[in-house]
Amino acid sequence: MSDCGGSTAPRFADELLEGRRESAATAVVDLDSGERVSYATLARRTQTLTDLLSGHGVGRGSTVAMVMDKSVASVTVMWAALRLGARYVPLDESLPSARVALLLGMCEPTVTLVHPQHRGLLDGAPAGTVVTVGGELPAEPDGEWWDPGAETDVRAADLACRAPDDHAYVVFTSGSTGSPKGVVISHRAMCALLDGVQRVVGFEEDMRYLNVAPLFFDASVVDLWSTFLVGGTVHLLPRLRMPTQITRACEEWRITDTLLVPSVIRMLVGRFSDAGRRDLSSLRRLWFGGESCPVSVLRAFAAMVPGLTYVHGYGPTETTHSATLFLTDDIAGYEEEFLPIGGPLPSVDLLVVDDGLRPVPDGETGELLIGGPQMMVGYCGDPERTARALVEPPGAGGERFYRSGDYVWRRGDGALVFLGRRDDALKINGNLVHLSEVEAATLAVRWVTDCCAVPAEHPVTGKAITLFVLGRRDAGDSLPDETELRRELALRLPDYMLPARIDFLADGDVDLTPSGKLDRSRLRELANK
């Protein structure tokens, strides 16, 4: 099995910055505040915070939580935690206090850093030592305070007592039951990802990456650390409020790379003609994943921004974001409705198996198992859930694999095609239906911007499908009606897959998750009211 031993791969994630601690090149630009810092400045600020954290007992095996808006200070916290051998845990500052307390209790931080405006979220929470980040220093400080602009001469980090299997970060996701899962990722896994992505995609030193994903979303790992790997510049976009923020930033800062969820790409294409008026010629690669994205949408984007390479990534959080990649620069000539998810990164092992975890022949449908160095350490404080997620298939020589719960099939050229999730399946009149297949057919309709298919109760069949649709109006046209949509779906789906109910969403009706996707849990509630 391969490891992250390529020539560009460090053993620890923080070494990416350690080797650039005297560089005058710009490391981070905060597009909200306008602040921009060099690698050297970032290193000096990190040293100040490293000394502060060390004084509060942070060291190898510790946890440093952060309840902060995205900023240069956030990146400083990540680097400082890693330099001390601790793991960083970014939390969503928009969560209610009870949820924040629950997550902190699961990861047991030694120190929690918090912006002043979010300080109330930590009242009564098991946050360890609380350090307030920035703001005006009160005359009588209530607890510890850190000035994120303070700098100290940099000393070399002590790597001698550390190991690649030490924890690097924890990202929280929701399970199928709605209960949170704290996914623990090691330095080995993080370095394997970065090395693999660099080998497959190839980056340049002048890379200017627009980070749209929140820092508590695992896509940010690729955004930030792949850029730091080659000494490029990360541009931090504040919490996304409108897609035109993206096109404006790309033009102003001559962005070369950005990663967007398909929902946002569809919004750019379908509802913001402003995107077409922006000069986006600096873009080299558009990264996307996490949802189905019709090739027709990518063609429309390509018409606005020709000459791009499209990087389709697939991978659960448990496998350090991206386990597979598919690259193409010929969207116009691509004939299928959806791109495949591609092949494994160099350090990733994949199996396509049946219900007994036995490999299936190429061309047959099976569940995808993912192994190799990129696999998570486990779920934070939850060994039982970890044991259920990691399995040892027959004939795998004792190697553990993560059960993705995703159904795929392998094409003749080796690329994998995603079909749907194990837990999005239901039976209607004895027929097995994958909701993702219904969504894929809906997204292939020209005027559909986004959609979500959810299970609902039906008085006759017991189970049925409710389809929520967000559509766009072409110039001078009204929004197509349900009859037209049903006619389109009937051309693509068998009768038993057709939705029993279709609800059209207006812009004001749409709830998005922090990562920019439709809020499925909210739509499930609406479907069963």
Side-chain angles (χ1 to χ4, degrees), residues 410-433:
R410 197 187 307 272
R411 303 191 318 188
D413 62 359
L416 294 169
V417 177
F418 175 82
L419 298 177
R421 284 199 52 76
R422 187 176 61 213
D423 56 11
D424 81 349
L426 67 155
K427 282 198 172 182
I428 299 178
N429 289 332
N431 297 294
L432 185 65
V433 176

Side-chain angles (χ1 to χ4, degrees), residues 335-414:
E335 296 181 354
E336 282 126 7
E337 286 190 353
F338 294 89
L339 296 180
I341 59 175
L345 292 180
S347 64
V348 172
D349 299 323
L350 299 179
L351 294 175
V352 183
V353 301
D354 60 20
D355 290 342
L357 304 184
R358 295 177 296 270
V360 302
D362 288 354
E364 291 192 12
T365 298
E367 182 182 355
L368 183 61
L369 305 186
I370 306 170
Q374 283 186 215
M375 191 173 59
M376 67 173 178
V377 176
Y379 295 121
C380 189
D382 200 339
E384 292 184 6
R385 185 180 259 178
T386 300
R388 291 195 299 270
L390 304 180
V391 297
E392 295 182 11
E399 179 184 353
R400 295 192 307 168
F401 283 74
Y402 173 70
R403 291 197 70 165
S404 71
D406 293 331
Y407 287 111
V408 301
W409 65 277
R410 197 187 307 272
R411 303 191 318 188
D413 62 359

Side-chain angles (χ1 to χ4, degrees), residues 298-319:
L298 299 177
R299 287 198 196 101
F301 194 90
M304 296 192 307
V305 192
L308 293 185
T309 295
Y310 293 82
V311 185
H312 185 197
Y314 161 87
T317 303
E318 288 85 347
T319 61

Side-chain angles (χ1 to χ4, degrees), residues 6-267:
S7 59
T8 61
R11 296 174 69 232
F12 305 103
D14 48 303
E15 287 184 276
L16 300 176
L17 294 170
E18 195 75 17
R20 303 185 189 279
R21 63 188 189 188
E22 297 181 359
S23 171
T26 301
V28 183
V29 177
D30 183 340
L31 299 186
D32 194 19
S33 67
E35 182 181 20
R36 52 195 302 172
V37 298
S38 67
Y39 282 90
T41 298
L42 184 59
R44 292 192 297 271
R45 292 185 181 184
T46 299
Q47 185 66 62
T48 301
L49 181 57
T50 299
D51 294 342
L52 187 154
L53 295 177
S54 179
H56 287 287
V58 174
R60 184 184 182 191
S62 299
T63 299
V64 175
M66 40 196 288
V67 184
M68 306 168 58
D69 299 324
K70 187 192 297 187
S71 63
V72 174
S74 306
V75 179
T76 307
V77 174
M78 294 176 178
W79 189 6
L82 294 175
R83 289 187 87 234
L84 289 168
R87 63 188 186 187
Y88 68 84
V89 185
L91 299 181
D92 182 357
E93 69 280 1
S94 68
L95 291 173
S97 57
R99 184 74 168 187
V100 171
L102 173 64
L103 302 185
L104 290 174
M106 293 175 65
C107 66
E108 300 179 328
T110 303
V111 172
T112 299
L113 293 104
V114 60
H115 277 155
Q117 62 267 39
H118 307 309
R119 183 63 179 80
L121 291 175
L122 303 185
D123 291 345
T129 300
V130 176
V131 177
T132 302
V133 178
E136 292 292 331
L137 176 63
E140 297 182 6
D142 179 16
E144 190 60 75
W145 180 80
W146 168 52
D147 175 7
E151 300 179 14
T152 303
D153 289 341
V154 183
R155 303 184 301 277
D158 180 11
L159 304 178
C161 64
R162 293 168 55 187
D165 288 325
D166 289 350
H167 302 175
Y169 66 84
V170 178
V171 170
F172 281 97
T173 66
S174 291
S176 57
T177 63
S179 60
K181 301 182 295 184
V183 180
V184 181
I185 299 298
S186 68
H187 283 266
R188 183 187 304 278
M190 198 169 167
C191 291
L193 167 74
L194 300 175
D195 181 51
V197 171
Q198 166 69 332
R199 291 192 201 183
V200 173
V201 179
F203 300 128
E204 309 84 9
E205 290 185 6
D206 66 342
M207 182 164 68
R208 298 175 296 280
Y209 208 119
L210 180 65
N211 162 240
V212 178
L215 299 185
F216 52 83
F217 185 44
D218 67 335
S220 65
V221 173
V222 172
D223 296 359
L224 271 64
W225 298 96
S226 292
T227 308
F228 295 152
L229 178 67
V230 295
T233 304
V234 173
H235 296 74
L236 302 174
L237 190 71
R239 188 180 288 270
L240 187 63
R241 296 178 182 87
M242 58 184 67
T244 46
Q245 289 175 278
I246 296 170
T247 53
R248 189 179 303 116
C250 286
E251 179 180 56
E252 181 177 353
W253 295 94
R254 308 303 296 158
I255 297 298
T256 63
D257 294 74
T258 191
L259 188 156
L260 305 176
V261 293
S263 304
V264 173
I265 300 174
R266 287 192 287 268
M267 289 179 187

Side-chain angles (χ1 to χ4, degrees), residues 485-513:
L485 178 57
R486 288 191 177 278
R487 185 166 53 246
E488 293 271 7
L489 293 179
L491 298 174
R492 296 172 168 85
L493 296 172
D495 288 346
Y496 63 85
M497 282 193 182
L498 295 175
R501 168 183 157 195
I502 297 177
D503 281 2
F504 288 89
L505 301 172
D507 289 352
D509 301 328
V510 178
D511 289 325
L512 299 180
T513 66

